[in-house]
Amino acid sequence: MEAPTKDQPKTPQSIHKDWITALDRAEKDRKTWVLQGRKIVKRYRANSTTVQGDSTALQGSKFNLFWANIETLGPATYSRRPKVQVSRRYHDQDPSGRLASLVLERALQYEIDRGLNFHSALKQALKDRLLPGMGVAWVRYEPKFKQQTEEMPAPTENGAPPTKVIEQSIEVLDDEFTPVDYVFWEDFLCSPARNWTDVRWVS
């Protein structure tokens, strides 16, 4: 996709066309990888004794060694919620920095412990990482607001001091959440690149 210029500004139609082209190109670029990933998952699940196109498959195999290896690697890689540790970089005598580190550590640990989908999302992403080779989990910010009534000075004319007070309903932040969403490996798409730092967009 080309960046818009002053001489030829991008129109909504041209931007839409550029995105469709980029998405189609990314889908085509990863088509072979998706087919290989599906074959790996099928071998793991042992849906059949042979996988189409796999010349090394054995007829009538009794024990799925690939499944056993994955089930061993999974718990060894991730088995329980992580323990958060926050510390000062230079470990200097800074009471304010120590207190800030403690607050941040407890806040992060609380979010991980109370998150109902954190553990399951990471376990599913880990299974995708061990099988097709890519596990994706997204963290999103979810605020919760509530209506609150506050007393405000009534507007006056000519800059005169207010003499009346009116009640006004405003929206204030009540709570905050950071849910972790599991993304199925076939649903994740990004711009083709050799290194992650060269990826320009994800979807």
Side-chain angles (χ1 to χ4, degrees), residues 43 49-50 55-61:
R43 170 64 65 188
T49 55
T50 59
S55 59
T56 62
L58 298 177
Q59 292 286 351
S61 57

mmCIF file of all heavy atoms in Angstrom, residues 43 49-50 55-61:
data_model
loop_
_atom_site.group_PDB
_atom_site.id
_atom_site.type_symbol
_atom_site.label_atom_id
_atom_site.label_comp_id
_atom_site.label_asym_id
_atom_site.label_seq_id
_atom_site.Cartn_x
_atom_site.Cartn_y
_atom_site.Cartn_z
ATOM 1 N N ARG A 43 -2.634 -34.987 12.435
ATOM 2 C CA ARG A 43 -1.739 -36.035 12.922
ATOM 3 C C ARG A 43 -1.775 -36.101 14.448
ATOM 4 O O ARG A 43 -1.768 -37.185 15.042
ATOM 5 C CB ARG A 43 -0.313 -35.775 12.427
ATOM 6 C CG ARG A 43 0.740 -36.645 13.056
ATOM 7 C CD ARG A 43 0.549 -38.109 12.724
ATOM 8 N NE ARG A 43 0.727 -38.361 11.307
ATOM 9 C CZ ARG A 43 0.478 -39.519 10.722
ATOM 10 N NH1 ARG A 43 -0.006 -40.517 11.431
ATOM 11 N NH2 ARG A 43 0.668 -39.670 9.431
ATOM 12 N N THR A 49 -5.568 -43.171 10.316
ATOM 13 C CA THR A 49 -4.266 -43.826 10.402
ATOM 14 C C THR A 49 -3.274 -43.247 9.419
ATOM 15 O O THR A 49 -2.076 -43.363 9.599
ATOM 16 C CB THR A 49 -4.418 -45.334 10.142
ATOM 17 O OG1 THR A 49 -5.062 -45.529 8.879
ATOM 18 C CG2 THR A 49 -5.248 -45.978 11.239
ATOM 19 N N THR A 50 -3.758 -42.616 8.367
ATOM 20 C CA THR A 50 -2.866 -42.001 7.390
ATOM 21 C C THR A 50 -3.333 -40.589 7.102
ATOM 22 O O THR A 50 -4.508 -40.274 7.194
ATOM 23 C CB THR A 50 -2.843 -42.789 6.068
ATOM 24 O OG1 THR A 50 -4.174 -42.846 5.537
ATOM 25 C CG2 THR A 50 -2.338 -44.195 6.292
ATOM 26 N N SER A 55 3.798 -39.658 3.034
ATOM 27 C CA SER A 55 4.303 -40.955 2.605
ATOM 28 C C SER A 55 4.904 -41.749 3.747
ATOM 29 O O SER A 55 5.144 -42.941 3.623
ATOM 30 C CB SER A 55 5.365 -40.761 1.512
ATOM 31 O OG SER A 55 6.438 -39.967 1.999
ATOM 32 N N THR A 56 5.160 -41.087 4.904
ATOM 33 C CA THR A 56 5.779 -41.780 6.028
ATOM 34 C C THR A 56 4.757 -42.352 6.998
ATOM 35 O O THR A 56 5.125 -42.922 8.015
ATOM 36 C CB THR A 56 6.705 -40.819 6.785
ATOM 37 O OG1 THR A 56 5.919 -39.742 7.315
ATOM 38 C CG2 THR A 56 7.764 -40.247 5.861
ATOM 39 N N ALA A 57 3.454 -42.169 6.734
ATOM 40 C CA ALA A 57 2.423 -42.647 7.646
ATOM 41 C C ALA A 57 2.399 -44.165 7.660
ATOM 42 O O ALA A 57 2.597 -44.823 6.639
ATOM 43 C CB ALA A 57 1.060 -42.108 7.222
ATOM 44 N N LEU A 58 2.168 -44.718 8.831
ATOM 45 C CA LEU A 58 2.137 -46.158 8.999
ATOM 46 C C LEU A 58 0.698 -46.626 9.124
ATOM 47 O O LEU A 58 -0.090 -46.039 9.863
ATOM 48 C CB LEU A 58 2.919 -46.560 10.255
ATOM 49 C CG LEU A 58 4.417 -46.222 10.258
ATOM 50 C CD1 LEU A 58 5.031 -46.622 11.587
ATOM 51 C CD2 LEU A 58 5.130 -46.918 9.116
ATOM 52 N N GLN A 59 0.355 -47.657 8.413
ATOM 53 C CA GLN A 59 -0.969 -48.238 8.492
ATOM 54 C C GLN A 59 -1.124 -48.988 9.804
ATOM 55 O O GLN A 59 -0.251 -49.733 10.222
ATOM 56 C CB GLN A 59 -1.192 -49.191 7.305
ATOM 57 C CG GLN A 59 -1.274 -48.512 5.954
ATOM 58 C CD GLN A 59 -2.601 -47.785 5.755
ATOM 59 O OE1 GLN A 59 -3.504 -47.935 6.564
ATOM 60 N NE2 GLN A 59 -2.696 -47.026 4.692
ATOM 61 N N GLY A 60 -2.286 -48.765 10.459
ATOM 62 C CA GLY A 60 -2.608 -49.511 11.658
ATOM 63 C C GLY A 60 -1.741 -49.191 12.853
ATOM 64 O O GLY A 60 -1.504 -50.065 13.689
ATOM 65 N N SER A 61 -1.219 -47.937 12.968
ATOM 66 C CA SER A 61 -0.410 -47.575 14.121
ATOM 67 C C SER A 61 -1.269 -47.569 15.378
ATOM 68 O O SER A 61 -2.417 -47.158 15.358
ATOM 69 C CB SER A 61 0.224 -46.196 13.908
ATOM 70 O OG SER A 61 -0.781 -45.233 13.670
#
